């Protein structure tokens, strides 16, 4: 999203389309004059279904509204508002028996946030938990990198992650921390029930407090010369190990 005169703008075909489909507060969509193709029809159909106004405008206007690769589509949209921790948990438990969250401890890069959110949504996850201070911003780069996933997931900011950890544990969630500092591997962790996967920054990793509060601490096995993965890649491995475990658990029932 970009801001101009108090407004916020979301840009790019997929982010705008996902925002419209997700029922977010899209005020108006601006489309480049001469825009063609099947994606245009999909956008127009979605806008018509939701009753959202749109306007074809010169490319110069879109360039002023959005400073990135807008692909001929820009939406004026209400700011992404984080939900409370209570809302996050209640919404997830109302939709799934075994929700899955990601807790990002010290992850400040917006593109990592976007990539992790995209993977989480693809894996059937419910939401992202960030610290109120020091966490990645919910901006245009994050939304675009997420391919619109941040428009579908609940995002929660908390004053401190310790409170979030206690609250999740009280509500039946297991906290599983991904860390290089243990010999126990991800395959040994139980991620079949409600779970919150804790990921740390690439520089400092997960804080000692969050490691101590986690129910399980596991490592991704490494066989190459490079000893670690980018945090978004590591999150993908963790999330889809959880997906694998859940599928095998259902088969065994």
């Amino acid at each position: 999203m970009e801001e101009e005169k108090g407004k916020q703008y979301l840009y790019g075909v997929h982010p705008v389309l996902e925002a419209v489909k997700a029922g977010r507060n899209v005020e108006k969509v601006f489309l480049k004059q001469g825009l063609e193709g099947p994606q245009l029809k999909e956008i127009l159909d979605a806008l018509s279904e939701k009753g959202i106004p749109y306007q074809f405008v010169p490319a110069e206007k879109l360039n002023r509204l959005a400073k990135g690769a807008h692909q001929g589509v820009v939406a004026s949209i209400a700011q992404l508002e984080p939900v409370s921790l209570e809302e996050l948990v209640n919404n997830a438990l109302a939709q799934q028996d075994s929700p899955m969250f990601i807790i990002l401890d010290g992850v400040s890069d917006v593109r990592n946030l976007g990539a992790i959110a995209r993977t989480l949504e693809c894996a059937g996850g419910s939401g992202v938990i960030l610290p109120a201070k020091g966490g990645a911003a919910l901006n245009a780069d994050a939304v675009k990198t997420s391919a619109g996933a941040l428009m579908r997931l609940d995002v929660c900011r908390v004053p401190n992650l310790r409170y979030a950890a206690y609250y999740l544990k009280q509500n039946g969630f297991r906290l599983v921390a991904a860390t290089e500092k243990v010999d126990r591997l991800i395959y040994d962790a139980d991620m079949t029930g409600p779970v919150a996967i804790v990921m740390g920054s690439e520089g400092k990793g997960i804080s000692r407090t969050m490691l101590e509060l986690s129910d399980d601490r596991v490592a991704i096995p490494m066989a190459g010369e490079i000893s670690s993965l980018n945090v978004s890649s590591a999150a993908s491995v963790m999330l889809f190990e959880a997906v694998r475990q859940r599928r095998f658990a259902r088969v065994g029932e």
Side-chain angles (χ1 to χ4, degrees):
M1 288 169 286
E2 295 288 343
E3 294 187 16
E4 181 180 278
K5 295 181 180 179
K7 288 186 175 292
Q8 292 216 0
Y9 294 94
L10 178 67
Y11 57 88
V13 172
H14 291 298
V16 171
L17 190 56
E18 288 301 324
V20 173
K21 289 181 177 180
R24 300 284 182 169
N25 188 18
V26 178
E27 299 169 349
K28 187 175 183 177
V29 174
F30 299 95
L31 303 165
K32 186 179 76 173
Q33 290 175 347
L35 188 65
E36 298 177 347
Q39 288 181 320
L40 174 62
K41 182 180 185 306
E42 187 177 5
I43 290 172
L44 293 178
D45 287 346
L47 292 172
S48 177
E49 180 182 343
K50 298 291 186 179
I52 297 171
Y54 62 90
Q55 180 182 356
F56 285 93
V57 299
E60 291 76 15
K61 179 177 177 67
L62 299 183
N63 293 339
R64 290 196 302 271
L65 296 178
K67 307 306 179 186
H70 51 68
Q71 301 173 301
V73 182
V74 177
S76 173
I77 189 169
Q79 185 175 0
L80 275 176
E81 291 291 343
V83 301
S84 69
L85 185 59
E86 292 77 7
E87 288 178 286
L88 180 80
V89 171
N90 290 339
N91 290 346
L93 290 174
Q95 296 171 11
Q96 301 181 42
D97 292 331
S98 299
M100 181 163 56
F101 297 140
I102 279 276
I103 299 176
L104 299 181
D105 182 6
V107 177
S108 59
D109 186 279
V110 294
R111 291 177 178 82
N112 279 331
L113 168 60
I116 290 168
R118 181 174 184 171
T119 304
L120 179 65
E121 202 280 335
C122 289
S126 299
V128 181
I129 300 172
L130 298 163
K133 293 183 179 180
L138 292 172
N139 62 16
D141 286 337
V143 175
K144 193 168 182 61
T145 306
S146 78
L150 281 170
M151 309 303 293
R152 293 185 172 274
L153 295 167
D154 282 340
V155 180
C156 171
R157 288 195 182 276
V158 292
N160 65 74
L161 293 178
R162 181 189 304 178
Y163 165 74
Y166 283 126
Y167 187 84
L168 290 172
K169 289 157 76 77
Q170 289 170 358
N171 282 273
F173 284 78
R174 284 176 55 79
L175 270 63
V176 179
T179 175
E180 304 166 7
K181 301 175 182 178
V182 295
D183 295 324
R184 184 174 167 81
L185 297 180
I186 60 173
Y187 316 116
D188 300 318
D190 181 2
M191 294 187 279
T192 57
V195 67
I197 296 172
V198 186
M199 305 299 302
S201 68
E202 292 180 50
K204 296 182 179 180
I206 299 170
S207 64
R208 186 176 67 178
T209 297
M210 289 303 293
L211 282 174
E212 291 174 350
L213 287 173
S214 294
D215 298 289
D216 212 340
R217 291 161 289 279
V218 292
I220 297 170
M222 296 289 171
E225 294 292 328
I226 300 174
S227 61
S228 65
L229 293 171
N230 168 275
V231 65
S232 63
S233 298
S236 298
V237 174
M238 293 290 293
L239 287 165
F240 278 95
E241 170 57 19
V243 171
R244 184 193 68 82
Q245 290 186 17
R246 290 161 185 241
R247 290 194 174 182
F248 275 99
R250 286 197 294 270
V251 169
E253 289 177 353

